[in-house]
Amino acid sequence: PYLRSYFKTLKQLSVDHVQEVMANPEEYIRISSDPEKLKEYEAKRAKAYEVLVPMIEYSFDHHDGQTLQPENYEDQPKGKNGKLDKEESSIFFANFVAEGALFAEAMTAASMTVAMQMGLKQAAEEGSDAKKRKTKLSQAGIERALGRLEGRLQRMQQDYAKHKDKRDAAAFRVIDTNRDGKIGKKEFVDALTPGTAVNQEFLKALGMDPKVGLKEVTKA
């Protein structure tokens, strides 16, 4: 239930952001061309993502102590220890990817956000017409992008299932930043917080990089 809340909230945050930018693209181009204002803007975005932290922490607590062999749980309970080992992490990774529709929607929204940020930066550098970029990210364009991304995301999920062990190992290495062979709650939160370098690497490790949908979102 916590992952569902996480994905729904992430999608809404991203959509709200895109709609805000579309309402006044010229202003956001000006922000992108001013390093100080851009820094303030990015801090504001990071602040908005803080609402996700409790959901991420609840998901961590939910997976702490889980086992891949539930029939043995009563005889040999693992218990909660504030860390996720590789087995517990594997269960989480599978659940993360398995949230099909919600994951697809959140990925589409995340791709829109990436496209918006890159478009703004390019517009600021090249002096592009803001109205053209606004048209590319219209509501109709967003709906078309959602349809195009659906098939791509299904293939990503199939690829994850086919290479689960390899994907899980790669994702674990990304999150386990202190290399103690366990995933702590802070490492877990960092990995699931959008906009961080570790979040991007985590998604790539699972084969779910939102940037793969970038061309689909901006396609006319």
Side-chain angles (χ1 to χ4, degrees):
Y2 307 118
L3 277 177
R4 293 190 186 97
S5 296
Y6 167 84
F7 283 129
K8 287 180 180 179
T9 305
L10 175 57
K11 175 192 172 185
Q12 192 59 53
L13 286 170
S14 299
V15 170
D16 288 348
H17 175 223
V18 171
Q19 290 178 341
E20 179 184 353
V21 173
M22 284 196 300
N24 191 1
E26 294 86 356
E27 173 61 21
Y28 281 84
I29 290 175
R30 284 193 290 271
I31 290 174
S32 297
S33 62
D34 185 326
E36 194 61 34
K37 288 185 177 180
L38 182 59
K39 185 177 180 180
E40 294 176 1
Y41 163 77
E42 291 173 343
K44 178 183 176 182
R45 292 293 304 152
K47 185 72 175 177
Y49 287 134
E50 288 180 4
V51 69
L52 296 170
V53 173
M55 303 171 208
I56 299 172
E57 291 180 335
Y58 288 143
S59 183
F60 178 93
D61 292 339
H62 175 74
H63 290 89
D64 184 9
Q66 287 201 15
T67 176
L68 290 170
Q69 298 177 316
E71 66 274 11
N72 298 329
Y73 188 80
E74 290 186 3
D75 296 331
Q76 298 178 323
K78 297 180 70 171
K80 295 182 179 294
N81 60 5
K83 296 277 189 177
L84 298 187
D85 60 22
K86 291 183 179 181
E87 182 181 36
E88 293 161 341
S89 299
S90 180
I91 296 171
F92 165 73
F93 296 148
N95 290 339
F96 186 89
V97 177
E99 290 293 345
L102 289 176
F103 187 86
E105 292 175 4
M107 284 285 289
T108 302
S111 293
M112 288 190 295
T113 301
V114 172
M116 184 72 71
Q117 292 169 339
M118 294 181 70
L120 290 173
K121 182 178 180 181
Q122 184 178 352
E125 293 173 349
E126 300 177 358
S128 301
D129 187 343
K131 181 174 284 189
K132 290 181 181 179
R133 297 194 179 279
K134 182 177 180 180
T135 300
K136 276 184 174 290
L137 291 167
S138 64
Q139 185 61 40
I142 290 171
E143 291 175 358
R144 288 194 298 272
L146 180 60
R148 286 192 295 265
L149 277 171
E150 184 176 355
R152 184 184 292 258
L153 288 165
Q154 287 178 349
R155 290 192 295 274
M156 286 180 177
Q157 290 173 318
Q158 291 169 356
D159 177 77
Y160 170 79
K162 184 177 180 180
H163 305 287
K164 186 180 188 313
D165 290 344
K166 180 180 178 180
R167 293 291 188 186
D168 287 354
F172 191 92
R173 284 195 299 272
V174 169
I175 303 178
D176 181 23
T177 56
N178 66 3
R179 298 294 183 262
D180 67 349
K182 304 279 187 179
I183 294 177
K185 184 174 287 189
K186 184 180 185 305
E187 292 173 321
F188 190 85
V189 170
D190 289 344
L192 269 71
T193 300
T196 63
V198 67
N199 175 252
Q200 294 175 17
E201 291 303 313
F202 164 63
L203 293 175
K204 285 173 63 177
L206 290 179
M208 303 291 175
D209 187 354
K211 288 186 179 181
V212 301
L214 193 57
K215 291 182 180 179
E216 301 292 346
V217 172
T218 55
K219 188 183 296 183

